[in-house]
Amino acid sequence: MPRGRAAFSTTAVALVVAAVGAACTVGPSNRPAVVHDGDAPPVIATPPGAPPAAVRPLGAPEGARMSWSDCTSQTRFRLGDAAGTTMRFECARVSNNLDSPSRPGRGTTRIAVLKAGTGPVPLVVVNDINGEPGTLFAARLAQKLGPEVMGTFSLIGVDRRGTGESEHLQCVPESIRQRLIGFDPAAKDGAKINELLEIAREASQECMLDLDEQLPANDTWRTASDLNKVRELLGMQHLHAIGSGEGSRVLTVFAERFGDKAGRIVLDGSPDPAADGIGLAQAKAAAAEATFAEFAADCVKRGCALGSDPRKSVTDLLAKLDEKSLNSSDGIAVNSGSAMFTLVSALGERSAWPALGEALGKAAAGDPAPIAALLAPVIKNKSTVGSRFDGSLITACNDTTVRIPPDRAAQLIKEWNGRSPLFGPVFSQRLMWCGPWPVPSQPLPPVRAAGAGPMVVLNTAADPVTPPEGTKRTAEQLPGAALVTWQSSGHGALTGSGCVGAALKDYLVDGKMPANATVCPP
């Protein structure tokens, strides 16, 4: 059990960049003393001539044991502006082994799940760990997928360990969250970067004190086990699922661990399986630059508040906020670091670009409220749901063995600044966030899923969250996978294209694989 402070709260309403070993004491001496920056798993090619596996049958639930209860009104409230739906929602709790490395197979964690739609076959939805909780993501997605898909499936959203209403983790004090998120994005020298490491150390110490053995049990490996428990309670022989972005990694790990239980699986973007933590960060910086160029062009076309040169406007805003930060009425500091955090986070959601441009423009005019509103779910704890930051940070640090010292980070900042001047320093700095955390004892397995059926992998041409080259490599490593690329920008292709929608319907509903290397127009 956690010690020192109460770490979580749970609610009656059920409803997701960063992961850790156990058996370590708290304090600066536990920070790794040497560089470890090579955690990419080996690339394992499909054996030549291996016949592709058949698409798994849908099947039907048999002996389902999930105890659902109506949560329609609560979910509509959480959906906010999207609450015009007449869809009914049901919620449940799933208990599974905590399975901390220090007590394997023991302890209990509770996972929140939500059912949207009335289709007979359950389709599990897993979101990015640093995105909105999976239950809320599934409730939104159910209103966007085509009638053929929703006539066949009911979506089952899952709040991943430590997120949403799945015993959400609250261990990083709000003041430390704000200091991490608001750290100067222009800082480049080793001495300054060392200050960032000290803030990260404070965060890790708080979490190790509060969470104890629960801390290293929040990772992708164990989340895959949670999905298998969900599958069992749904009464399904196979897990049919959609993974969004980093959530796709949960599904590839599931397929590696429980290959014979993996059904029809769609990966909407995926982390690069061939890159280590440094390579992933570098690719994200480059992808963010490419997506920002698309955002800027769209901004100019719409006549947004950033004027005719959005890049210059953003650069000027960051310099202005670096000199004097703004403070919102609820105590959120809007400075150069938190403004950049907002920009990076919102670039992936193309539909949010107008609001992003407006928020940045208002900050330039001295109004912090719009940016503060975008930051609030990450920074602030609510009575029922904690900040999204803590669960994301813990999972990400438990999923990577990369730990680098400040001088290495400073070197990377200089190297990446030329190629990605706006975003390179930011992603270099974020490598420091896991610096003081214990290195996990169990690396994630390579992407192979040899015992699973063929998957469909969706790619977006300019995706700042899961860069397209990494998603393409994921498809190449999965036996029989079909890659479908949408020639657009933003994070994810699930609902933006009729061409992609047709491929989803063919695969999920009819069991027909789309042609590999399909390209869908913008």
Side-chain angles (χ1 to χ4, degrees):
M1 294 294 293
R3 69 182 180 212
R5 281 172 282 234
F8 341 89
S9 65
T10 58
T11 70
V13 185
L15 229 306
V16 306
V17 179
V20 236
C24 47
T25 57
V26 178
S29 62
N30 289 306
R31 177 165 55 94
V34 297
V35 178
H36 186 104
D37 59 6
D39 68 337
V43 176
I44 300 178
T46 304
V55 175
R56 293 281 163 81
L58 282 181
E62 295 183 7
R65 294 175 286 128
M66 193 77 76
S67 298
W68 296 107
S69 61
D70 183 83
C71 59
T72 301
S73 60
Q74 301 97 317
T75 303
R76 290 178 182 171
F77 175 79
R78 294 172 62 211
L79 287 171
D81 292 341
T85 178
T86 59
M87 185 173 289
R88 181 172 178 266
F89 304 101
E90 296 178 276
C91 295
R93 295 274 182 182
V94 173
S95 294
N96 198 23
N97 289 334
L98 180 66
D99 193 30
S100 178
S102 61
R103 299 178 68 213
R106 302 178 65 183
T108 302
T109 188
R110 300 187 74 199
I111 306 301
V113 296
L114 175 143
K115 180 181 179 182
T118 58
V121 180
L123 180 65
V124 170
V125 177
V126 186
N127 197 20
D128 296 271
I129 189 65
N130 58 333
E132 68 180 353
T135 51
L136 197 55
F137 179 75
R140 296 190 199 280
L141 182 62
Q143 299 170 66
K144 299 177 182 178
L145 291 176
E148 297 91 348
V149 173
M150 292 307 299
T152 302
F153 298 97
S154 53
L155 300 193
I156 310 296
V158 178
D159 283 356
R160 294 168 59 174
R161 290 188 176 206
T163 71
E165 296 188 349
S166 289
E167 295 187 345
H168 55 269
L169 302 180
Q170 297 182 34
C171 57
V172 180
E174 183 179 314
S175 61
I176 296 179
R177 288 185 203 128
Q178 293 220 44
R179 289 163 62 201
L180 273 175
I181 289 171
F183 190 78
D184 180 8
K188 294 180 174 65
D189 63 275
K192 187 70 175 177
I193 298 302
N194 193 62
E195 296 178 18
L196 177 60
L197 182 64
E198 292 304 314
I199 301 171
R201 179 178 292 116
E202 292 179 46
S204 69
Q205 290 173 345
E206 293 285 344
C207 289
M208 284 188 274
L209 283 169
D210 275 7
L211 302 182
D212 197 16
E213 67 180 18
Q214 286 186 300
L215 185 66
N218 286 270
D219 62 8
T220 291
W221 175 266
R222 290 167 179 81
T223 299
S225 174
D226 296 336
L227 295 190
N228 195 47
K229 187 68 174 182
V230 169
R231 178 196 63 79
E232 292 175 355
L233 294 178
L234 290 171
M236 292 297 294
Q237 181 180 358
H238 297 115
L239 180 85
H240 308 301
I242 293 173
S244 175
E246 179 271 343
S248 294
R249 183 159 55 191
V250 179
L251 296 181
T252 59
V253 172
F254 176 91
E256 184 66 22
R257 294 188 62 185
F258 310 101
D260 62 329
K261 306 301 182 184
R264 301 181 189 181
I265 291 178
V266 175
L267 309 181
D268 188 20
S270 175
D272 190 340
D276 63 10
I278 293 177
L280 289 172
Q282 185 176 13
K284 284 186 176 184
E289 291 282 351
T291 307
F292 182 83
E294 297 283 338
F295 163 76
D298 177 77
C299 198
V300 171
K301 184 178 180 180
R302 287 184 293 101
C304 81
L306 297 179
S308 60
D309 190 347
R311 177 176 287 270
K312 183 178 184 302
S313 296
V314 167
T315 302
D316 291 346
L317 171 62
L318 296 177
K320 183 177 180 179
L321 292 175
D322 190 48
E323 292 181 2
K324 185 178 180 180
S325 64
L326 305 173
N327 291 290
S328 69
S329 59
D330 58 350
I332 293 179
V334 176
N335 57 20
S336 58
S338 59
M340 177 57 78
F341 184 93
T342 303
L343 175 59
V344 170
S345 301
L347 273 181
E349 187 62 49
R350 190 181 179 101
S351 63
W353 285 3
L356 173 61
E358 184 70 14
L360 294 171
K362 287 196 172 184
D367 181 5
I371 285 183
L374 294 172
L375 287 169
V378 181
I379 292 176
K380 292 285 186 179
N381 292 327
K382 296 183 180 180
S383 58
T384 57
V385 179
S387 155
R388 294 178 188 169
F389 184 81
D390 298 19
S392 172
L393 177 66
I394 291 167
T395 299
C397 292
N398 282 337
D399 277 352
T400 179
T401 58
V402 169
R403 304 292 186 268
I404 65 173
D407 57 347
R408 173 63 170 143
Q411 179 187 359
L412 291 174
I413 289 172
K414 292 177 182 177
E415 292 176 0
W416 296 0
N417 188 61
R419 295 189 291 268
S420 307
L422 191 57
F423 298 97
V426 174
F427 283 97
S428 302
Q429 288 180 8
R430 289 190 182 184
L431 290 170
M432 299 302 302
W433 286 8
C434 295
W437 296 75
V439 178
S441 58
Q442 182 178 14
L444 291 176
V447 172
R448 347 173 248 208
M455 303 182 194
V456 169
V457 181
L458 305 182
N459 203 4
T460 305
D463 187 333
V465 181
T466 44
E469 286 303 314
T471 299
K472 181 180 178 182
R473 273 188 280 272
T474 298
E476 291 170 348
Q477 288 189 222
L478 292 169
L483 179 70
V484 177
T485 299
W486 182 33
Q487 297 285 66
S488 188
S489 52
H491 179 42
L494 278 172
T495 60
S497 161
C499 168
V500 172
L504 285 177
K505 182 261 181 187
D506 287 348
Y507 173 66
L508 289 174
V509 178
D510 300 327
K512 299 176 182 177
M513 290 294 293
N516 188 29
T518 294
V519 176
C520 292

